[in-house]
Amino acid sequence: MTTSINLITPPGELLELIESARRPLLIAHIAPDGDAIGSLLAAGILLHYLGKEPLLACQDRVPVTLRFLPFQDQIKSDVRDFDPDVVIAVDSSDPSRMGAIYDPDRFYQAPLVVIDHHVTNVHFGDINWVEPSCCAAAEMIYYLMRALDVTPTKELASCLLTGLVTDTRGFRTANTTARVVGIASKLMEAGAPLNRITENALNSRSYDLISLWGRVLGTVQRDGGIISVSNERAMREDLNGIIRADGVVSFILGAYAAKVAVVLTELPEGKIECSFRARPGSDVATIALQLGGGGHPLASGCTVEGTLPDVRQQVFALLRETNAWAE
Ligand code: 5GP
Ligand code: MN
Protein backbone atom coordinates (compact mmCIF):
# COMPACT_ATOMS: atom_id res chain seq x y z
CA MET A 1 0.00 0.00 0.00
CA THR A 2 1.35 3.46 -0.82
CA THR A 3 0.28 6.26 1.46
CA SER A 4 -0.24 9.76 0.11
CA ILE A 5 1.08 12.78 1.97
CA ASN A 6 -0.96 15.88 2.55
CA LEU A 7 1.36 18.34 0.80
CA ILE A 8 1.75 22.04 1.58
CA THR A 9 1.90 24.17 -1.57
CA PRO A 10 4.57 26.90 -1.79
CA PRO A 11 3.37 30.37 -2.90
CA GLY A 12 2.90 30.66 -6.69
CA GLU A 13 5.19 33.69 -6.91
CA LEU A 14 7.97 31.70 -5.27
CA LEU A 15 7.61 28.89 -7.81
CA GLU A 16 7.61 31.41 -10.69
CA LEU A 17 10.69 33.17 -9.36
CA ILE A 18 12.56 29.88 -8.95
CA GLU A 19 11.60 28.75 -12.43
CA SER A 20 12.92 31.98 -13.97
CA ALA A 21 16.12 32.16 -11.86
CA ARG A 22 19.48 31.33 -13.40
CA ARG A 23 22.05 32.03 -10.67
CA PRO A 24 20.44 31.63 -7.25
CA LEU A 25 22.49 32.30 -4.12
CA LEU A 26 21.35 30.01 -1.31
CA ILE A 27 22.23 30.98 2.28
CA ALA A 28 22.11 28.88 5.47
CA HIS A 29 22.25 30.53 8.89
CA ILE A 30 25.36 31.22 10.97
CA ALA A 31 26.51 28.45 13.35
CA PRO A 32 24.61 26.05 11.09
CA ASP A 33 22.81 22.95 12.35
CA GLY A 34 21.63 19.85 10.51
CA ASP A 35 18.48 21.51 9.23
CA ALA A 36 20.35 24.57 7.93
CA ILE A 37 22.95 22.46 6.08
CA GLY A 38 20.50 19.74 5.03
CA SER A 39 18.03 22.28 3.61
CA LEU A 40 20.79 24.27 1.93
CA LEU A 41 22.25 21.21 0.20
CA ALA A 42 18.84 19.80 -0.73
CA ALA A 43 17.73 23.11 -2.25
CA GLY A 44 21.06 23.31 -4.11
CA ILE A 45 20.69 19.79 -5.55
CA LEU A 46 17.07 20.57 -6.52
CA LEU A 47 17.95 23.81 -8.31
CA HIS A 48 20.94 22.23 -10.01
CA TYR A 49 18.67 19.43 -11.26
CA LEU A 50 16.37 22.11 -12.69
CA GLY A 51 19.26 23.46 -14.78
CA LYS A 52 20.22 26.43 -12.57
CA GLU A 53 23.71 27.37 -11.43
CA PRO A 54 23.24 27.79 -7.69
CA LEU A 55 25.92 28.90 -5.24
CA LEU A 56 25.59 27.53 -1.71
CA ALA A 57 26.83 29.73 1.13
CA CYS A 58 27.20 29.82 4.88
CA GLN A 59 29.32 32.20 6.95
CA ASP A 60 30.48 29.44 9.33
CA ARG A 61 32.03 26.02 8.68
CA VAL A 62 29.99 22.86 8.28
CA PRO A 63 30.07 21.01 11.64
CA VAL A 64 32.20 17.84 11.58
CA THR A 65 29.10 15.72 12.31
CA LEU A 66 27.57 16.84 8.99
CA ARG A 67 30.60 16.36 6.78
CA PHE A 68 29.26 12.99 5.60
CA LEU A 69 26.64 14.81 3.52
CA PRO A 70 27.02 14.92 -0.28
CA PHE A 71 28.36 18.17 -1.77
CA GLN A 72 28.94 19.76 1.67
CA ASP A 73 32.49 20.62 0.54
CA GLN A 74 31.01 22.92 -2.11
CA ILE A 75 29.49 25.31 0.45
CA LYS A 76 31.30 28.67 0.26
CA SER A 77 31.93 31.25 2.95
CA ASP A 78 33.03 33.88 0.42
CA VAL A 79 30.58 34.89 -2.32
CA ARG A 80 32.36 38.02 -3.59
CA ASP A 81 32.75 36.68 -7.12
CA PHE A 82 29.12 35.63 -7.51
CA ASP A 83 26.43 37.81 -9.04
CA PRO A 84 23.09 36.23 -8.12
CA ASP A 85 19.73 36.94 -9.76
CA VAL A 86 17.86 35.70 -6.68
CA VAL A 87 18.90 35.15 -3.07
CA ILE A 88 17.22 32.44 -0.99
CA ALA A 89 17.70 32.27 2.79
CA VAL A 90 16.78 28.95 4.43
CA ASP A 91 15.99 28.24 8.11
CA SER A 92 16.70 31.92 9.00
CA SER A 93 14.23 33.93 11.03
CA ASP A 94 15.85 37.36 10.72
CA PRO A 95 18.46 38.99 8.45
CA SER A 96 21.24 38.80 11.05
CA ARG A 97 21.09 35.01 10.79
CA MET A 98 22.59 35.24 7.27
CA GLY A 99 25.72 36.74 8.86
CA ALA A 100 28.37 38.21 6.58
CA ILE A 101 27.10 36.39 3.47
CA TYR A 102 24.23 38.78 2.72
CA ASP A 103 25.42 42.17 1.51
CA PRO A 104 22.37 44.40 0.85
CA ASP A 105 24.49 46.93 -1.11
CA ARG A 106 25.64 44.26 -3.54
CA PHE A 107 22.48 42.19 -3.81
CA TYR A 108 19.84 44.94 -3.98
CA GLN A 109 18.80 43.96 -7.51
CA ALA A 110 18.23 40.31 -6.64
CA PRO A 111 14.93 39.54 -4.93
CA LEU A 112 15.34 38.01 -1.45
CA VAL A 113 13.30 34.86 -0.75
CA VAL A 114 12.85 33.56 2.79
CA ILE A 115 12.01 29.87 3.33
CA ASP A 116 11.67 29.24 7.05
CA HIS A 117 9.70 27.43 9.75
CA HIS A 118 10.37 29.66 12.79
CA VAL A 119 7.29 31.21 14.39
CA THR A 120 9.41 34.27 15.23
CA ASN A 121 10.29 34.94 11.56
CA VAL A 122 10.25 38.69 10.87
CA HIS A 123 9.39 38.35 7.14
CA PHE A 124 12.52 40.16 5.95
CA GLY A 125 12.35 38.99 2.33
CA ASP A 126 10.61 40.19 -0.81
CA ILE A 127 8.88 36.81 -0.81
CA ASN A 128 8.37 35.15 2.57
CA TRP A 129 7.32 31.53 2.77
CA VAL A 130 7.07 30.82 6.50
CA GLU A 131 5.43 27.64 7.82
CA PRO A 132 5.69 27.32 11.61
CA SER A 133 3.70 24.07 11.42
CA CYS A 134 6.66 22.44 9.69
CA CYS A 135 9.15 20.62 11.94
CA ALA A 136 12.12 21.70 9.80
CA ALA A 137 13.01 23.90 6.85
CA ALA A 138 13.86 20.58 5.18
CA GLU A 139 10.17 19.65 5.35
CA MET A 140 9.44 22.80 3.33
CA ILE A 141 12.14 21.98 0.77
CA TYR A 142 10.44 18.59 0.40
CA TYR A 143 7.14 20.36 -0.44
CA LEU A 144 9.02 22.66 -2.83
CA MET A 145 10.54 19.64 -4.54
CA ARG A 146 7.14 17.99 -4.88
CA ALA A 147 5.59 21.21 -6.22
CA LEU A 148 8.34 21.34 -8.85
CA ASP A 149 7.55 17.73 -9.78
CA VAL A 150 10.99 16.43 -8.93
CA THR A 151 11.63 12.85 -7.71
CA PRO A 152 14.42 12.83 -5.12
CA THR A 153 17.77 11.19 -5.79
CA LYS A 154 19.47 9.38 -2.92
CA GLU A 155 21.61 12.50 -2.32
CA LEU A 156 18.67 14.90 -2.22
CA ALA A 157 16.68 12.54 0.02
CA SER A 158 19.65 12.15 2.40
CA CYS A 159 20.01 15.92 2.85
CA LEU A 160 16.27 16.34 3.49
CA LEU A 161 16.15 13.46 5.96
CA THR A 162 19.13 14.96 7.83
CA GLY A 163 17.13 18.17 8.33
CA LEU A 164 14.14 16.23 9.64
CA VAL A 165 16.23 13.99 11.92
CA THR A 166 18.22 16.81 13.48
CA ASP A 167 15.42 19.36 14.06
CA THR A 168 13.18 16.64 15.58
CA ARG A 169 16.09 15.11 17.53
CA GLY A 170 15.44 11.77 15.93
CA PHE A 171 11.64 12.11 15.58
CA ARG A 172 11.11 12.79 19.28
CA THR A 173 9.96 16.41 19.43
CA ALA A 174 6.33 17.52 19.84
CA ASN A 175 6.14 18.68 16.21
CA THR A 176 6.93 15.20 14.84
CA THR A 177 3.58 14.55 13.14
CA ALA A 178 2.44 11.48 11.24
CA ARG A 179 2.99 13.55 8.11
CA VAL A 180 6.66 14.10 9.02
CA VAL A 181 7.17 10.39 9.60
CA GLY A 182 5.42 9.73 6.26
CA ILE A 183 7.85 12.08 4.48
CA ALA A 184 10.78 10.39 6.23
CA SER A 185 9.50 7.05 4.97
CA LYS A 186 9.36 8.36 1.38
CA LEU A 187 12.92 9.70 1.73
CA MET A 188 14.12 6.31 2.97
CA GLU A 189 12.43 4.67 -0.03
CA ALA A 190 14.46 7.07 -2.19
CA GLY A 191 17.64 5.73 -0.58
CA ALA A 192 18.29 8.02 2.39
CA PRO A 193 20.10 6.01 5.10
CA LEU A 194 18.26 6.85 8.34
CA ASN A 195 20.61 4.92 10.60
CA ARG A 196 23.77 6.43 9.07
CA ILE A 197 22.30 9.92 9.30
CA THR A 198 21.29 9.39 12.94
CA GLU A 199 24.70 7.97 13.88
CA ASN A 200 26.57 10.85 12.24
CA ALA A 201 24.35 13.82 12.96
CA LEU A 202 23.00 12.91 16.41
CA ASN A 203 25.14 10.19 18.02
CA SER A 204 28.68 11.38 17.22
CA ARG A 205 30.71 13.92 19.16
CA SER A 206 34.33 14.76 19.88
CA TYR A 207 36.10 13.86 23.11
CA ASP A 208 36.59 17.61 23.66
CA LEU A 209 32.83 18.11 23.54
CA ILE A 210 32.27 15.33 26.07
CA SER A 211 34.91 16.95 28.32
CA LEU A 212 33.14 20.29 28.01
CA TRP A 213 29.82 18.66 28.87
CA GLY A 214 31.44 17.34 32.06
CA ARG A 215 32.57 20.81 33.12
CA VAL A 216 29.38 22.58 32.09
CA LEU A 217 27.20 20.00 33.87
CA GLY A 218 29.21 20.74 37.03
CA THR A 219 27.45 24.13 37.18
CA VAL A 220 23.90 22.75 37.01
CA GLN A 221 21.31 24.41 39.23
CA ARG A 222 17.56 24.31 39.63
CA ASP A 223 15.40 27.32 40.46
CA GLY A 224 11.76 26.18 40.55
CA GLY A 225 11.02 24.89 37.07
CA ILE A 226 14.16 26.44 35.56
CA ILE A 227 17.17 24.17 35.15
CA SER A 228 20.32 25.90 33.96
CA VAL A 229 24.04 25.57 33.34
CA SER A 230 26.85 27.97 32.44
CA ASN A 231 29.53 27.49 29.81
CA GLU A 232 32.35 29.90 30.67
CA ARG A 233 35.34 30.75 28.50
CA ALA A 234 37.75 29.62 31.22
CA MET A 235 36.26 26.10 31.15
CA ARG A 236 37.32 25.55 27.54
CA GLU A 237 40.85 26.94 27.33
CA ASP A 238 42.45 23.50 26.75
CA LEU A 239 39.69 22.18 24.48
CA ASN A 240 41.01 23.10 21.01
CA GLY A 241 38.76 26.03 20.22
CA ILE A 242 35.45 24.33 21.01
CA ILE A 243 32.80 26.84 22.15
CA ARG A 244 29.30 25.39 22.45
CA ALA A 245 28.32 22.43 24.61
CA ASP A 246 26.04 21.16 21.85
CA GLY A 247 23.16 19.00 23.05
CA VAL A 248 23.44 19.79 26.75
CA VAL A 249 20.35 22.00 26.83
CA SER A 250 18.03 19.17 25.73
CA PHE A 251 19.70 16.80 28.18
CA ILE A 252 19.13 18.97 31.27
CA LEU A 253 15.50 19.57 30.29
CA GLY A 254 15.08 15.88 31.11
CA ALA A 255 15.18 16.67 34.87
CA TYR A 256 11.77 15.70 36.31
CA ALA A 257 11.24 19.14 37.82
CA ALA A 258 12.30 21.10 34.73
CA LYS A 259 9.81 23.10 32.70
CA VAL A 260 12.47 25.20 30.98
CA ALA A 261 16.19 24.61 30.38
CA VAL A 262 18.74 27.38 29.90
CA VAL A 263 22.37 27.22 28.78
CA LEU A 264 24.38 30.45 29.03
CA THR A 265 27.51 30.38 26.88
CA GLU A 266 30.19 33.06 27.16
CA LEU A 267 31.30 33.68 23.57
CA PRO A 268 34.94 34.54 22.73
CA GLU A 269 34.06 38.23 22.24
CA GLY A 270 32.41 38.40 25.66
CA LYS A 271 28.78 38.30 24.57
CA ILE A 272 26.48 35.71 26.11
CA GLU A 273 24.63 33.21 23.92
CA CYS A 274 21.44 31.88 25.51
CA SER A 275 19.97 28.56 24.46
CA PHE A 276 16.44 27.74 25.65
CA ARG A 277 14.33 24.58 25.64
CA ALA A 278 10.84 24.09 27.11
CA ARG A 279 8.59 21.16 27.77
CA PRO A 280 5.21 21.29 25.98
CA GLY A 281 2.97 23.74 27.86
CA SER A 282 5.69 26.36 28.38
CA ASP A 283 7.05 28.76 25.77
CA VAL A 284 10.56 30.08 25.19
CA ALA A 285 10.10 31.74 21.78
CA THR A 286 8.74 34.91 23.46
CA ILE A 287 11.73 35.43 25.75
CA ALA A 288 14.21 34.81 22.90
CA LEU A 289 12.40 37.38 20.77
CA GLN A 290 12.35 39.90 23.66
CA LEU A 291 16.14 39.49 23.88
CA GLY A 292 16.72 40.02 20.16
CA GLY A 293 16.81 36.36 19.09
CA GLY A 294 14.15 33.93 17.97
CA GLY A 295 13.18 30.31 17.47
CA HIS A 296 10.26 28.03 18.29
CA PRO A 297 7.95 27.77 21.34
CA LEU A 298 9.94 24.79 22.66
CA ALA A 299 13.45 25.64 21.35
CA SER A 300 14.90 29.13 20.95
CA GLY A 301 18.00 31.23 21.40
CA CYS A 302 19.55 34.70 21.44
CA THR A 303 22.86 36.48 21.98
CA VAL A 304 23.01 39.30 24.54
CA GLU A 305 25.68 41.87 25.48
CA GLY A 306 26.88 41.71 29.08
CA THR A 307 28.58 39.54 31.64
CA LEU A 308 27.38 36.05 32.45
CA PRO A 309 25.96 36.95 35.92
CA ASP A 310 24.14 40.01 34.49
CA VAL A 311 22.62 38.11 31.58
CA ARG A 312 21.61 35.27 33.90
CA GLN A 313 19.75 37.75 36.11
CA GLN A 314 18.04 39.34 33.10
CA VAL A 315 17.00 35.97 31.67
CA PHE A 316 15.66 34.67 34.98
CA ALA A 317 13.69 37.87 35.62
CA LEU A 318 12.05 37.61 32.17
CA LEU A 319 11.28 33.91 32.62
CA ARG A 320 9.63 34.62 35.97
CA GLU A 321 7.56 37.42 34.42
CA THR A 322 6.26 35.25 31.58
CA ASN A 323 5.83 31.94 33.40
CA ALA A 324 3.97 31.59 36.71
CA TRP A 325 5.64 28.24 37.55
CA ALA A 326 9.12 29.78 37.49
CA GLU A 327 8.87 31.15 41.06
P1 5GP B 1 20.01 26.31 19.67
O1 5GP B 1 19.73 26.33 21.13
O2 5GP B 1 19.98 24.90 19.12
O3 5GP B 1 21.22 27.07 19.29
O4 5GP B 1 18.79 27.06 18.96
C1 5GP B 1 17.48 26.66 19.14
C2 5GP B 1 16.58 27.35 18.17
O5 5GP B 1 16.60 28.76 18.35
C3 5GP B 1 16.92 27.11 16.72
O6 5GP B 1 15.71 26.91 16.03
C4 5GP B 1 17.57 28.39 16.26
O7 5GP B 1 17.27 28.63 14.93
C5 5GP B 1 16.98 29.44 17.19
N1 5GP B 1 17.99 30.43 17.55
C6 5GP B 1 19.08 30.21 18.32
N2 5GP B 1 19.81 31.34 18.47
C7 5GP B 1 19.16 32.30 17.78
C8 5GP B 1 19.42 33.70 17.54
O8 5GP B 1 20.39 34.30 18.01
N3 5GP B 1 18.53 34.37 16.74
C9 5GP B 1 17.45 33.73 16.21
N4 5GP B 1 16.63 34.43 15.43
N5 5GP B 1 17.17 32.44 16.43
C10 5GP B 1 18.01 31.72 17.20
MN1 MN C 1 15.30 24.46 11.39
Side-chain angles (χ1 to χ4, degrees), residues 64-305:
V64 175
T65 53
L66 298 170
R67 294 201 192 143
F68 71 99
L69 283 172
F71 310 117
Q72 59 80 25
D73 55 339
Q74 294 181 24
I75 299 173
K76 308 284 185 213
S77 57
D78 182 345
V79 299
R80 270 174 296 188
D81 295 333
F82 193 67
D83 181 25
D85 55 4
V86 56
V87 179
I88 303 176
V90 295
D91 201 32
S92 302
S93 57
D94 67 61
S96 73
R97 302 287 287 162
M98 298 186 289
I101 301 290
Y102 189 77
D103 178 350
D105 295 335
R106 266 198 61 216
F107 300 146
Y108 69 97
Q109 283 179 317
L112 176 61
V113 174
V114 171
I115 300 179
D116 185 35
H117 70 125
H118 292 96
V119 70
T120 55
N121 190 288
V122 298
H123 293 242
F124 57 99
D126 300 299
I127 297 177
N128 299 285
W129 182 30
V130 179
E131 298 282 0
S133 74
C134 288
C135 71
E139 185 184 345
M140 300 177 70
I141 305 295
Y142 177 84
Y143 298 131
L144 178 64
M145 178 195 81
R146 293 290 303 266
L148 292 165
D149 235 357
V150 172
T151 306
T153 58
K154 179 182 176 180
E155 285 76 20
L156 177 43
S158 300
C159 296
L160 289 177
L161 190 57
T162 299
L164 299 186
V165 164
T166 52
D167 262 22
T168 63
R169 295 201 305 119
F171 304 111
R172 290 181 294 166
T173 53
N175 55 6
T176 308
T177 57
R179 182 165 66 179
V180 170
V181 176
I183 293 171
S185 169
K186 298 265 182 227
L187 296 172
M188 288 181 76
E189 282 167 17
L194 175 62
N195 178 250
R196 179 159 180 253
I197 291 169
T198 307
E199 285 306 312
N200 278 281
L202 292 184
N203 292 349
S204 303
R205 51 192 61 81
S206 67
Y207 182 72
D208 284 334
L209 178 57
I210 292 169
S211 305
L212 181 59
W213 266 55
R215 297 170 196 181
V216 166
L217 282 173
T219 70
V220 70
Q221 69 178 66
R222 183 170 79 81
D223 303 77
I226 310 174
I227 187 131
S228 64
V229 292
S230 301
N231 172 357
E232 296 161 27
R233 256 189 302 181
M235 292 174 182
R236 323 182 287 249
E237 266 158 11
D238 58 335
L239 296 181
N240 300 305
I242 192 168
I243 298 172
R244 296 174 178 85
D246 287 335
V248 88
V249 67
S250 301
F251 178 72
I252 61 174
L253 184 65
Y256 289 129
K259 299 244 196 272
V260 163
V262 181
V263 175
L264 300 170
T265 302
E266 191 181 11
L267 296 179
E269 63 270 24
K271 292 180 185 165
I272 308 301
E273 186 180 83
C274 312
S275 197
F276 302 108
R277 293 292 184 276
R279 286 190 191 272
S282 298
D283 163 73
V284 287
T286 313
I287 184 174
L289 197 60
Q290 281 171 328
L291 292 169
H296 312 281
L298 304 184
S300 68
C302 59
T303 299
V304 184
E305 303 263 357

